[in-house]
Amino acid sequence: MHKKEFKSIDQQIDLLQERGLTINDVERAKKYLLSNNYYNIINGYSKPFLESENLYIKNASFDEVSRLYFFDKELKQVLFNSILDAEHHLKSIIC
């Protein structure tokens, strides 16, 4: 199994830019990656913005990837809350 080498936040930003991802606010992106994890965001949500395995489509931006991540996070939360409400209702009916 191939282990990936640890990369600092600066190295992660450099790698994304080398691959063609536009980062308008580098400091904000660094904070974002520190608090949300590179793997979760980039590996999980940048696929729609890839032209090939290691190259982003023209004008793809970090902001777009992060917005997709937050949209999915909010959608999951809404669905989860709805499921909890349905479960509570079913428990009430059964009792």
Side-chain angles (χ1 to χ4, degrees), residues 21-25 28-29 32-33 36 40-42 44-46 48-49 59-76:
L21 190 64
T22 301
I23 301 176
N24 296 318
D25 186 343
R28 186 178 142 282
Y32 190 85
L33 289 173
N36 292 292
N40 289 340
I41 297 163
I42 300 304
Y45 294 92
S46 69
F49 305 99
N59 298 323
S61 73
F62 186 84
D63 291 337
E64 291 174 313
V65 175
S66 63
R67 282 194 297 263
L68 181 58
Y69 170 77
F70 274 116
F71 171 76
D72 185 56
K73 186 177 177 180
E74 289 177 11
L75 182 61
K76 286 177 186 176

Side-chain angles (χ1 to χ4, degrees), residues 14-21 38 53-57:
D14 290 343
L15 181 63
L16 292 171
Q17 290 175 324
E18 287 170 14
R19 292 178 175 177
L21 190 64
Y38 180 95
E53 185 175 336
N54 292 318
L55 183 65
Y56 287 93
I57 58 175

